[in-house]
Amino acid sequence: MKFFVDTADTEEIRELADTGLLDGVTTNPSLVAKTGRDFFTVIQEICSLIDGPVSAEVAATDFKTMLEEGKKLAGLADNVAVKVPLTMAGLKTCAELSRAGTQVNVTLCFSAAQAILAAKAGAAFVSPFVGRLDDIGQAGMDLIGDIVQIYDNYADLKTEVLVASIRNPTHIVEAALLGADVCTIPPQVLKQLVSHPLTDKGLAAFLADWEKSGQSILG
Ligand code: E4P
């Protein structure tokens, strides 16, 4: 399973990229606005930090402007994945950009029917938002299972299931059990993944015993 980080904060991305665990980045207009920085500068900086896909989202809602924005974003760097909303205009833009060889991430997916359309439009990624479904009392992970199963039924569908709106490490484990292709993870959740109290306790005990032995590995 690939790990993307869900942030537009270049300092956080730099730190996480150094771990060697990152395969890509997703941003959205809210995450970019939170940085207070220029959108194009941010995307170009992120693209220089990461080799994998970096999602940059259009802001228009009509096809013509969305397509124009998508082309502009795709021109920023080779690894930009243009992000479009799951609307008819977004799907049309996705089909057009995908035909021209641009990677497209169709975002704000909340149903299996929508995910089928994203795949039909040639999306490189579809982003179902599990946390936001959980928030309204629906099981977000059930949607991931449905989409993975549907896509598996058709060998010609190449769209990757990118699990978005992740809130906790359990979401990632469940997505992996279901065979999702990618998780886009907020930095704080990525850091939570590594933690376990028994790891900390075990390490403290090993180090204390090693100290008592009086030995040193490097001499
Ligand atoms: C996905 O690409 C989105 O940026 C993101 O996962 C949205 O998550 P949220 O529901 O926590 O805002």
Side-chain angles (χ1 to χ4, degrees), residues 3-7 12-13 15-17 19 21-24 166-169 172 183-195:
F3 273 15
F4 291 180
V5 65
D6 198 26
T7 181
E12 276 178 326
I13 294 167
E15 189 193 324
L16 290 165
T19 65
L21 296 171
L22 276 196
D23 302 297
I166 281 178
R167 304 270 197 263
N168 53 59
I172 297 154
C183 276
T184 189
I185 311 169
Q188 74 277 12
V189 177
L190 201 45
K191 288 173 190 164
Q192 278 176 350
L193 272 182
V194 75
S195 303

Side-chain angles (χ1 to χ4, degrees), residues 6 26-28 31 83 107 127 129 132 164-167 184:
D6 198 26
T26 52
T27 68
N28 64 39
L31 291 171
K83 209 174 182 190
T107 190
S127 293
F129 279 35
R132 292 192 194 188
S165 188
I166 281 178
R167 304 270 197 263
T184 189

Side-chain angles (χ1 to χ4, degrees), residues 204-215:
F206 286 156
L207 293 179
D209 289 341
W210 185 246
E211 175 106 22
K212 278 184 230 148
S213 83
Q215 299 186 65

Side-chain angles (χ1 to χ4, degrees), residues 42-203:
V42 168
I43 295 299
Q44 277 171 323
E45 207 174 310
I46 298 173
C47 287
S48 71
L49 295 172
I50 293 281
D51 291 333
V54 174
S55 289
E57 189 158 342
V58 298
T61 53
D62 67 287
F63 167 65
K64 193 172 164 286
T65 322
M66 222 187 250
L67 184 61
E68 218 174 306
E69 289 184 353
K71 286 180 180 168
K72 183 169 178 179
L73 294 175
L76 292 178
D78 288 345
N79 54 335
V80 166
V82 175
K83 209 174 182 190
V84 300
L86 215 155
T87 59
M88 204 44 98
L91 291 169
K92 216 172 144 186
T93 306
C94 172
E96 184 98 10
L97 290 173
S98 302
R99 262 196 301 272
T102 297
Q103 287 205 314
V104 180
N105 175 359
V106 179
T107 190
L108 291 167
C109 172
F110 293 95
S111 77
Q114 290 180 319
I116 293 170
L117 289 175
K120 292 279 293 173
F125 304 102
V126 66
S127 293
F129 279 35
V130 292
R132 292 192 194 188
L133 280 171
D134 290 352
D135 289 347
I136 61 159
Q138 292 184 21
M141 230 16 98
D142 287 354
L143 174 60
I144 303 303
D146 288 348
I147 301 172
V148 168
Q149 192 185 335
I150 290 167
Y151 285 7
D152 279 353
N153 286 342
Y154 300 94
D156 58 322
L157 293 186
K158 303 291 178 220
T159 306
E160 294 189 34
V161 181
L162 195 171
V163 183
S165 188
I166 281 178
R167 304 270 197 263
N168 53 59
T170 306
H171 275 150
I172 297 154
V173 174
E174 287 173 351
L177 286 168
L178 291 167
D181 302 285
V182 192
C183 276
T184 189
I185 311 169
Q188 74 277 12
V189 177
L190 201 45
K191 288 173 190 164
Q192 278 176 350
L193 272 182
V194 75
S195 303
H196 197 287
L198 290 180
T199 303
D200 298 340
K201 193 177 166 199
L203 181 60

